[in-house]
């Protein structure tokens, strides 16, 4: 077996089918479609006070590897496409821009999570080096990569703490970019401490949008629902992410049906849309069929009940950070757990690789503990999961991108 064939064989075995599995017939139909014709209307809800009706499902593009898949999703009715500056070191924004090229700009919404280098993802705090000018450059670099005249939604990711959400330089930058027409809506994205982040955003009156982790396994649901309602009543549009986290049980265990989880999230009338990391035409078609009838079937209700069984730890990390002070080595365990979920739940190994790169290697730290002292509220075997995902650090990034 020659080098190239061996490389492709190994990559397929390690990573699985991570590309967009595009059906030829669908792509041919997309190519025939006149780009001046608007995409079909899907069931939707109003996005806060924006005046925009957004389909109940939107596309998270982090795992997308083909611009034609982006175009096909638009042709099938998807309106909001969400990327991030840290997906593929910005290359994902370029790919999304290519996929949407030639479509009338008013026909779709483009979103990105613009992450400043000065944010501590573990604490959600900005350090003293953060400035409005530096954050402006992050946003403008995204705009250049998309190749568009404006970004519809720009969010500050890893927003967790009130002082970050209400940071004067953040608000100043968002306001200036909106006045200049470079962004239309300002928002936050939150994986943890979401209640604090939402309440802080609603208090300012400066944010139009929030993208939050919201699923059947989330903790403190009553408090979170109250914060969502407050933000929505203040005119903010709320979209949900990580909604299928409960689907992904242990990597070797059975995978649950996702429809029940997606429908559950959309029972909350304040959730405008779900940002789903769709990676194939089949998955896209499945989600589009799901949003046409949100009533939970008896079988789906049984599946939700099964997810509530304590023994089902799954792959979803609550990002509560209660593990961090328990670790003698001070490892950033929540980030390790997100990387583990991206790899074994979403099969998005490139995003898992980039997420893992943000952490300090655990090899020496974990070897000093005969048994892990961390007691995870979700029942994770933290040491085993860290040891498992740590192996990804040895895989060259270009191996996953080729």
């Amino acid at each position: 077996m020659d080098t190239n064939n061996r490389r492709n064989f190994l990559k397929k075995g390690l990573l699985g089918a991570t590309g967009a599995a595009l059906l030829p017939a669908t792509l041919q139909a997309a190519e025939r479609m006149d780009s001046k014709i608007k995409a079909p209307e899907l069931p939707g809800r109003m996005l806060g006070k924006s005046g925009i009706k957004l389909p109940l499902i939107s596309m998270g593009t982090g795992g997308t590897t083909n611009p034609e898949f982006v175009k096909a999703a638009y042709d099938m009715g998807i309106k909001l496409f969400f990327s991030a500056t840290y997906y593929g070191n910005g290359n994902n924004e370029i790919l999304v821009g290519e996929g949407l090229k030639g479509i009338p700009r008013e026909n779709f919404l483009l979103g990105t999570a613009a992450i400043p280098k000065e944010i501590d993802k573990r604490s959600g705090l900005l350090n003293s080096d953060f400035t409005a000018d530096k954050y402006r450059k992050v946003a403008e670099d995204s705009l250049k990569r998309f190749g568009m005249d404006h970004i519809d939604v720009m969010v500050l990711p890893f927003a967790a703490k009130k002082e970050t959400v209400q940071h004067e330089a953040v608000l100043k930058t968002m306001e200036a970019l909106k006045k200049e027409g470079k962004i239309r809506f300002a928002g936050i994205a939150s994986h943890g401490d979401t209640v604090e982040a939402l309440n802080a955003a609603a208090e300012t009156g400066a944010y139009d949008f929030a993208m939050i982790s919201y699923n059947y396994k989330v903790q403190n649901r009553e408090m979170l629902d109250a914060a969502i309602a407050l933000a929505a009543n203040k005119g903010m549009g709320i979209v949900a992410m990580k909604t299928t986290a409960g689907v992904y049980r242990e990597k070797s265990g059975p995978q649950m049906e996702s429809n029940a989880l997606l429908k559950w999230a959309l029972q909350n009338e304040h959730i405008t849309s779900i940002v789903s990391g769709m990676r194939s035409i089949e998955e896209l078609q499945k989600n589009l069929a799901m949003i046409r009838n949100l009533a939970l079937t008896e079988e789906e209700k049984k599946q939700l009940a099964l997810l509530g069984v304590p023994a089902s730890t799954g792959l979803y990390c609550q990002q509560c950070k209660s593990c961090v002070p328990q670790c003698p080595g001070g490892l950033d365990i929540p980030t390790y757990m997100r990387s583990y979920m991206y790899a074994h739940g979403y099969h998005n190994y490139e995003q898992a690789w980039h997420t893992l790169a943000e952490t300090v290697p655990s090899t020496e730290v974990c070897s000093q503990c005969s048994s892990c002292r961390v007691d995870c509220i979700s029942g994770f075997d933290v040491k085993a999961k860290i040891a498992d995902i740590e192996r990804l650090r040895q895989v060259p990034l270009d191996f996953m991108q080729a």
Side-chain angles (χ1 to χ4, degrees):
M1 185 180 294
D2 62 38
T3 302
N4 286 336
N5 286 339
R6 182 173 182 274
R7 176 188 180 94
N8 291 334
F9 175 79
L10 288 173
K11 180 180 177 183
K12 183 176 180 180
L14 175 65
L15 304 184
T18 61
L22 296 171
L23 298 179
T26 305
L27 283 181
Q28 289 170 8
E31 290 170 358
R32 290 194 301 269
M33 184 173 285
D34 186 341
S35 63
K36 294 182 181 180
I37 299 176
K38 287 189 176 182
E41 190 77 15
L42 297 175
R45 293 173 181 168
M46 297 305 295
L47 182 64
K49 60 183 178 183
S50 70
I52 295 170
K53 186 178 181 181
L54 194 63
L56 295 176
I57 201 82
S58 299
M59 185 176 183
T61 65
T64 304
T65 59
N66 191 331
E68 289 297 330
F69 183 45
V70 175
K71 174 64 165 61
Y74 167 80
D75 288 337
M76 295 172 72
I78 297 297
K79 188 170 185 177
L80 171 62
F81 299 84
F82 225 98
S83 183
T85 57
Y86 48 93
Y87 289 167
N89 287 330
N91 289 322
N92 186 259
E93 292 175 325
I94 295 173
L95 181 149
V96 173
E98 290 175 353
L100 297 172
K101 191 177 298 181
I103 299 172
R105 187 64 183 85
E106 66 274 14
N107 287 2
F108 64 88
L109 298 178
L110 192 63
T112 197
I115 182 168
K117 294 179 180 178
E118 298 80 16
I119 195 166
D120 180 349
K121 296 174 185 176
R122 178 161 57 179
S123 67
L125 295 172
L126 293 161
N127 65 37
S128 58
D129 292 332
F130 178 80
T131 66
D133 287 341
K134 288 180 179 178
Y135 199 41
R136 166 183 283 276
K137 186 176 187 308
V138 173
E140 292 178 340
D141 285 347
S142 283
L143 195 54
K144 290 176 184 176
R145 287 190 290 268
F146 280 126
M148 301 285 177
D149 59 354
H150 69 275
I151 296 170
D152 294 286
V153 183
M154 188 181 89
V155 302
L156 173 70
F158 301 100
K161 299 301 180 184
K162 180 175 181 178
E163 51 263 53
T164 299
V165 175
Q166 297 186 356
H167 195 290
E168 182 180 359
V170 172
L171 298 178
K172 179 180 177 181
T173 304
M174 295 286 198
E175 181 182 8
L177 290 170
K178 286 173 70 172
K179 285 183 177 179
E180 295 165 15
K182 294 179 178 178
I183 67 171
R184 292 176 66 191
F185 308 115
I188 61 168
S190 179
H191 295 83
D193 295 316
T194 305
V195 171
E196 180 176 345
L198 275 176
N199 287 337
E203 187 177 285
T204 68
Y207 290 99
D208 312 289
F209 184 95
M211 182 161 60
I212 61 168
S213 293
Y214 190 72
N215 58 66
Y216 192 73
K217 295 180 76 70
V218 74
Q219 299 285 320
N220 302 317
R221 193 177 304 154
E222 290 185 4
M223 292 179 62
L224 179 56
D225 282 344
I228 290 171
L230 173 65
N233 290 332
K234 292 277 189 170
M236 292 177 63
I238 312 294
V239 300
M241 60 178 172
K242 303 292 188 292
T243 47
T244 58
V247 172
Y248 303 113
R249 309 182 86 177
E250 290 305 325
K251 59 180 181 178
S252 59
Q255 298 299 292
M256 302 293 288
E257 172 57 48
S258 65
N259 276 1
L261 276 299
L262 296 173
K263 287 182 180 181
W264 178 88
L266 288 170
Q267 301 306 306
N268 186 327
E269 63 182 10
H270 297 303
I271 301 293
T272 302
S273 182
I274 288 172
V275 176
S276 174
M278 296 172 282
R279 298 158 62 81
S280 70
I281 288 292
E282 292 88 348
E283 188 176 3
L284 173 58
Q285 291 172 328
K286 180 173 177 289
N287 284 345
L288 294 183
M290 178 275 301
I291 63 173
R292 295 187 184 282
N293 182 4
L294 297 182
L296 287 161
T297 66
E298 289 304 313
E299 179 59 31
E300 288 167 345
K301 291 177 183 177
K302 290 178 182 177
Q303 291 171 359
L304 289 174
L306 179 62
L307 289 174
V309 176
S312 177
T313 57
L315 298 181
Y316 178 67
C317 172
Q318 298 288 339
Q319 299 289 298
C320 67
K321 305 183 183 71
S322 62
C323 55
V324 177
Q326 298 180 52
C327 177
L331 288 176
D332 185 359
I333 297 172
T335 300
Y336 268 104
M337 296 302 103
R338 280 195 299 114
S339 178
Y340 188 95
M341 183 180 68
Y342 290 142
H344 295 303
Y346 301 151
H347 303 295
N348 187 340
Y349 296 93
E350 185 176 349
Q351 189 170 349
W353 191 97
H354 281 290
T355 302
L356 185 65
E358 299 166 5
T359 65
V360 174
S362 66
T363 312
E364 295 183 7
V365 176
C366 289
S367 64
Q368 296 179 24
C369 294
S370 56
S371 61
C372 187
R373 306 178 192 179
V374 176
D375 183 14
C376 173
I377 65 168
S378 295
F380 288 174
D381 184 340
V382 170
K383 188 172 184 177
K385 287 183 184 292
I386 288 178
D388 183 291
I389 195 61
E390 187 69 60
R391 298 178 300 160
L392 190 62
R393 207 185 294 271
Q394 307 305 315
V395 181
L397 180 59
D398 63 353
F399 183 80
M400 287 176 276
Q401 295 174 327

